[in-house]
Amino acid sequence: MTQKNQFWRGMILGAIAGGAISLLDKQTREVMKANVQKNTSRLTYVFRNPGEIAEKVKETAEKVKTTVKQVNEDISFITDKVEELRELTPQVTDMIKETKDTFSKDDEALLLEEVAVEEDKID
């Protein structure tokens, strides 16, 4: 045999020996027995009810598909809104500047008018 085959053979034998030695502990044996029984019953259920398992897988896949579709729609909606905001921001900024300028000019005109009225009262 080649060195490679000896290595893997040694690894397998070592794993088997390590597993056997660990089973000398009673608590480990009990835990392993419970795990084997639980997994055996699960596998038995799967083999006896493949249609039910397939149906659950289909339901889960459909839920995932629906969720992904909804997330894509939400992302698309948000992207559209962000794009609208990008387009509107310069327009809103211009409108605010125009409004400010208009109010500033109106304030100046009112102030000048008040000063003129006061001058007329003094004269």
Side-chain angles (χ1 to χ4, degrees), residues 4 8 17 24 64:
K4 186 176 181 181
W8 290 111
L24 293 176
V64 168

Side-chain angles (χ1 to χ4, degrees), residues 53-67:
I53 302 301
E55 188 62 34
K56 286 182 181 179
V57 168
K58 286 178 186 177
E59 287 174 10
T60 303
E62 191 60 36
K63 286 179 184 177
V64 168
K65 182 180 175 182
T66 303
T67 302

